[in-house]
Amino acid sequence: MRALTVRPGEKGALRVEEVPDPEPGPGELLVDGLAVGVCGTDREIADALYGWAPPGRDRLVLGHESLGRVRTAPPDSGFAPGDLVAGVVRRPDPVPCGACAHGHFDMCRNGRYTERGIKEIDGYAAERWTVEADYAVRIDPALGRAGVLMEPTTVVAKAWDQIERVGRRSWFDPRTVLVTGAGPIGLLAALLGAQRGLEVHVLDRVSDGPKPRLAADLGAAYHAGDVAEVARRVRPDIVVECTGAARLVFEAMAGTGPYGIVCLTGVSSPGRTLDADIGRVNRDIVLQNDVVIGSVNANLDHYRAAADALAAADRPWLERLITRRVPLERALDAFDPRPDDVKVAITLDGGA
Ligand code: BGC
């Protein structure tokens, strides 16, 4: 069968190649791959900035935003042939640390977790893959191919879970959220904000292309202006930062209303320095009881929350997030970003 593989640490080593067919072990599903989404992490791996091959190998099958259809399932697994599923990304570390031992592998403390398609385990960008039934998540058949948005939705479901837990440390009645970045993570964060009945503001660099309309169709206000000016006007109770751009991160921390919560989800490139008044930000954070949280990955609870959020969303809107689909044989095209891209997906079965 064919898979999209990469040699972590080597630039330009991405290729579609023949690899051995996977054999399901005890308790595992065999799945026909339908699609994988491509995100910034995949591009970083392709650019040799991130990623680890499985021990003893030099190539890794890429892909952590999965969608597949079950081909075979163990009788008592709760899955049946034909079910649409996504595979969970992370596996607990082998020690395990206290967090992993409690199912909070998204909060792993010793860094020895593994991740499909990212860190030491093959990913899902293959015509067939296997997954432990305990790490497979059912996707509502009504979602169809929009089910490939499951994994990025888990990332924002975790971010919202963190925001709400932190908010509950005192009286909490948020009204407004500012989402910085209108890529897939930003727009899905905005979707979950709208589902919570909040006044949603989305800020991005571009003022044309599909993003303004996608935000507007959630009932969100779209801003292409200066983040500091927008934050001053909106005084958001919550900021979900989805770009990792240093200036936006700083202005997000500086721009909340009192008791503001900033959740950082974007991974920045190291080495970008900023001339900034940290004293002013510190003063505001202290005097207003503000909180800044980082959030990565997602545990099984977040997969369940994401499934609910996607089931409640408007399916045509979700489909519009996937602005480009590329067949596996042309998978490398998916790594050349185009101006109007929101989510790019690689199809694995020749489907649309
Ligand atoms: C994935 C996460 C993963 C993180 C770090 C993100 O792109 O969505 O699941 O934990 O990269 O490897």
Side-chain angles (χ1 to χ4, degrees):
M1 66 154 187
R2 293 173 308 160
L4 176 64
T5 71
V6 67
R7 189 197 290 259
E10 186 183 318
K11 233 182 136 142
L14 195 63
R15 65 173 185 235
V16 178
E17 63 176 333
E18 280 293 322
V19 298
D21 273 22
E23 283 292 327
E28 288 189 341
L29 315 178
L30 177 64
V31 179
D32 289 320
L34 294 177
V36 283
V38 174
C39 78
T41 301
D42 298 303
R43 294 201 171 96
E44 280 207 338
I45 298 172
D47 287 344
L49 298 170
Y50 197 62
W52 297 261
R57 299 213 340 237
D58 58 1
R59 297 194 74 85
L60 168 79
V61 175
L62 209 59
H64 61 278
E65 299 186 1
S66 59
L67 173 68
R69 182 172 285 115
V70 175
R71 180 184 274 242
T72 65
D76 50 0
S77 64
F79 291 93
D83 286 350
L84 284 186
V85 287
V88 173
V89 176
R90 194 175 280 195
R91 298 294 178 277
D93 77 78
V95 175
C97 74
C100 285
H102 288 84
H104 297 177
F105 47 78
D106 57 315
M107 299 290 200
C108 180
R109 299 297 201 276
N110 63 21
R112 290 178 60 192
Y113 62 82
T114 51
E115 288 181 339
R116 301 246 349 212
I118 301 176
K119 187 169 184 273
E120 296 166 13
I121 350 179
D122 280 335
Y124 300 109
E127 289 176 297
R128 272 175 299 289
W129 38 268
T130 55
V131 66
E132 312 87 304
D134 293 347
Y135 288 96
V137 181
R138 193 185 311 282
I139 290 182
D140 183 348
L143 276 179
R145 294 204 167 241
V148 76
L149 296 170
M150 177 66 145
E151 198 276 343
T153 308
T154 69
V155 166
V156 299
K158 171 174 173 181
W160 276 106
D161 175 44
Q162 297 301 301
I163 290 163
E164 284 162 349
R165 284 167 188 267
V166 168
R168 283 198 297 270
R169 77 199 194 279
S170 178
W171 175 79
F172 190 44
D173 185 21
R175 301 290 160 93
T176 53
V177 55
L178 170 62
V179 177
T180 50
I185 294 291
L187 287 167
L188 289 167
L191 167 72
L192 269 66
Q195 288 180 341
R196 284 161 169 75
L198 297 172
E199 179 187 308
V200 181
H201 295 261
V202 176
L203 179 133
D204 196 281
R205 276 187 299 209
V206 301
S207 46
D208 51 14
K211 293 175 176 179
R213 183 91 237 158
L214 282 162
D217 289 347
L218 290 174
Y222 186 87
H223 309 269
D226 172 56
V227 60
E229 186 274 319
V230 172
R232 235 185 338 269
R233 251 189 308 127
V234 171
R235 299 290 281 161
D237 300 309
I238 298 164
V239 179
V240 189
E241 206 298 306
C242 305
T243 70
R247 169 62 57 190
L248 285 181
V249 170
F250 176 78
E251 295 298 351
M253 296 195 298
T256 65
Y259 198 74
I261 300 175
V262 176
C263 185
L264 305 178
T265 67
V267 182
S268 319
S269 314
R272 305 250 163 89
T273 58
L274 201 64
D275 190 11
D277 184 351
I278 301 291
R280 172 173 65 94
V281 176
N282 173 75
R283 185 185 167 87
D284 280 359
I285 291 177
V286 171
L287 293 178
Q288 302 189 339
N289 292 291
D290 292 346
V291 177
V292 179
I293 347 163
S295 181
V296 71
N297 197 251
N299 66 36
L300 292 171
D301 288 338
H302 305 124
Y303 276 79
R304 285 184 272 272
D308 291 346
L310 289 175
D314 178 51
R315 180 168 164 196
W317 184 88
L318 293 174
E319 272 164 7
R320 282 164 51 213
L321 278 191
I322 306 164
T323 44
R324 194 150 63 96
R325 294 176 192 275
V326 175
L328 180 59
E329 51 274 18
R330 285 200 280 109
L332 272 57
D333 290 356
F335 289 77
D336 282 330
R338 295 198 190 151
D340 282 355
D341 281 345
V342 179
K343 171 57 71 189
V344 180
I346 299 171
T347 50
L348 301 167
D349 67 335

